[in-house]
Amino acid sequence: MYRFLLWIPILVLLGTGYTYGQAGAFKVKGSIDTASVKAGRYLDRAKMCSVQEFVKMYIAVGDTVRSRKWGYTHLEKLYQDATFAYYGQVKSGGLLMTFFKVPASDLSGLDYKTLDYQTLTKKFMEEIFPADDRKLLGRKKGLNNCWTANEMFDFIYHPDKKQLEVAYHWTVDCNYRSKKIRKHYTALYDPASKQFVK
C-alpha cells in the first residue's frame, strides 16, 4: 500500500516529462544512446546528483519504472571513472531519458541495490513502530472511530556514517474530534548489515 501511494506522483511526473520528482533536472536534451556513454562520450552532459538524491531516488523507484508515455524504463550504471559513476534511465532502443553522475567516493561501500522501499518500510513497521501505537486504532474506547489519514516515509542517506535515516510521519483522524493525532518516528538503518541501528 505504501509503495502504491508513492507511485502515483512518480507516474504523474513521468507522464508529464518529469522524472524521479526532480522536475526534469536530469532529463536528457537531444538524443544520447547508451553505447556512446559506455564508450566514454557525452560525459560532460551528465547532471550532478548527490549521493543523498541518488539513494532517495533509488528507494522510490528501484531499477525499473513503467509509465504510459515510455513503457518500461530501467536505471543503469553506464560508465565510471576515478571521480564519478554515470547513470541513466534507459528506454527501449537504448536511448537515455535521464543522465546524471554521482561522486564515486560517496558510493564506495554502498550496496544501494539492497535498498528496497517495501522491504525497508515493512522492516521499519515491524521493528521500530511502537507496539503501543499499533493499538491506537480499533480500541473500544477513545479511538474506535479513528483511522490513518496520512502516512509518509522519508529517507535521508548520511554518507559520513554510511547509514540511512528512515522517518515515518503518521497522522490519525477521528470522528467527532477536531484535533488530529500526529506522530513522527525516526531510526537509522545500516545498509551493510541490513539492520536498524539499536
Side-chain angles (χ1 to χ4, degrees):
M1 182 64 180
Y2 309 122
R3 192 163 190 130
F4 174 76
L5 293 173
L6 183 65
W7 273 95
I8 293 171
I10 291 169
L11 293 177
V12 168
L13 291 170
L14 283 172
T16 58
Y18 297 116
T19 53
Y20 297 129
Q22 297 293 322
F26 306 130
K27 193 171 179 184
V28 173
K29 294 190 186 202
S31 287
I32 301 177
D33 62 281
T34 55
S36 296
V37 176
K38 287 177 180 178
R41 297 173 59 205
Y42 303 115
L43 300 181
D44 58 325
R45 293 201 197 175
K47 301 285 179 12
M48 177 61 77
C49 177
S50 70
V51 69
Q52 291 92 338
E53 289 175 297
F54 177 74
V55 167
K56 186 175 275 204
M57 179 192 312
Y58 190 85
I59 292 171
V61 297
D63 285 317
T64 306
V65 176
R66 185 178 184 276
S67 73
R68 286 184 183 178
K69 186 173 182 180
W70 302 111
Y72 283 100
T73 62
H74 65 278
L75 183 68
E76 185 178 343
K77 183 177 178 181
L78 302 169
Y79 189 84
Q80 181 161 345
D81 56 27
T83 311
F84 296 107
Y86 296 81
Y87 291 86
Q89 184 189 11
V90 184
K91 59 185 177 181
S92 59
L95 290 177
L96 290 177
M97 290 177 57
T98 62
F99 185 35
F100 57 93
K101 60 187 179 182
V102 183
S105 60
D106 289 345
L107 286 171
S108 176
L110 172 64
D111 186 6
Y112 60 87
K113 293 199 172 189
T114 64
L115 298 176
D116 174 71
Y117 181 87
Q118 282 186 314
T119 304
L120 283 170
T121 56
K122 182 181 177 187
K123 189 173 181 64
F124 185 95
M125 295 307 283
E126 289 172 353
E127 297 180 17
I128 305 300
F129 190 70
D132 288 344
D133 285 355
R134 281 194 188 98
K135 299 173 186 173
L136 281 178
L137 301 181
R139 279 187 174 176
K140 291 183 180 177
K141 294 181 181 178
L143 299 180
N144 61 321
N145 290 320
C146 299
W147 63 94
T148 295
N150 188 24
E151 55 189 339
M152 184 181 74
F153 278 94
D154 194 19
F155 305 92
I156 302 167
Y157 181 65
H158 300 283
D160 52 334
K161 301 177 187 175
K162 302 283 186 195
Q163 291 178 337
L164 180 70
E165 182 181 333
V166 182
Y168 176 58
H169 311 282
W170 188 44
T171 305
V172 175
D173 273 344
C174 299
N175 283 337
Y176 314 114
R177 288 173 180 247
S178 58
K179 188 175 180 182
K180 292 183 179 182
I181 300 169
R182 290 186 176 91
K183 296 202 170 198
H184 306 279
Y185 313 86
T186 305
L188 289 174
Y189 179 80
D190 178 20
S193 66
K194 300 180 178 61
Q195 298 295 326
F196 281 100
V197 178
K198 302 297 183 187

